Amino acid sequence: MSADGQGRNHWFDDEAGPVVRPYAMTRGRTTSAVQHRLDLIALVVTEPHAEDPEADPTLSPEHVDIVELCRDVPQTVAELAAELDLPIGVVRVLVGDLVDSEFVHVNRPVPPAELPDESILRDVINGLRAL
């Protein structure tokens, strides 16, 4: 490349610097084994035994960032994507890798269809009051 910027290839953006395509971060993968459990509001929590993710040579800098972000406060998949400025699909794959490596676990919210009916809960409360 020349000093005047001539000959720069399409992998460089003058304002943003080098561009890394999302599929490069996920090694070309678009899904992970735990993909089905990772909706936008699933909470990602760092495992207590996950001491130093930087010591694991299989983890990328993005993996390490996710572990560190979730260490003190659980983060949703959507929050991680916003904080890391990455697409949701990439974050899902990276979190799936971390779940497989046991650096984090995911607390999945209860789907509305599986929640108990409100009338049943009222009947239980009324029954308890009657005691």
Side-chain angles (χ1 to χ4, degrees):
M1 284 188 216
S2 63
D4 64 355
Q6 297 295 335
R8 288 183 186 231
N9 60 29
H10 63 283
W11 296 110
F12 192 86
D13 181 338
D14 287 330
E15 292 179 19
V19 177
V20 177
R21 300 292 180 215
Y23 64 83
M25 284 182 241
T26 61
R27 296 179 214 123
R29 296 169 297 136
T30 58
T31 61
S32 68
V34 294
Q35 183 87 18
H36 65 280
R37 297 186 317 182
L38 298 177
D39 57 4
L40 294 176
I41 59 173
L43 282 175
V44 181
V45 182
T46 299
E47 292 287 356
H49 66 271
E51 302 216 0
D52 186 16
E54 290 181 13
D56 188 333
T58 63
L59 297 182
S60 69
E62 293 79 17
H63 285 113
V64 173
D65 289 344
I66 290 170
V67 172
E68 293 303 324
L69 283 170
C70 300
R71 187 171 300 283
D72 296 325
V73 178
Q75 303 281 320
T76 65
V77 172
E79 290 170 328
L80 289 170
E83 182 69 30
L84 297 171
D85 196 26
L86 293 173
I88 291 287
V90 170
V91 172
R92 285 180 171 155
V93 172
L94 296 175
V95 169
D97 294 344
L98 291 168
V99 170
D100 287 343
S101 301
E102 298 181 355
F103 278 96
V104 301
H105 68 272
V106 176
N107 292 331
R108 188 177 75 127
V110 177
E114 293 178 18
L115 291 173
D117 186 23
E118 186 177 330
S119 64
I120 293 173
L121 294 175
R122 284 194 182 140
D123 290 342
V124 169
I125 290 171
N126 290 337
L128 291 172
R129 286 184 182 148
L131 294 175

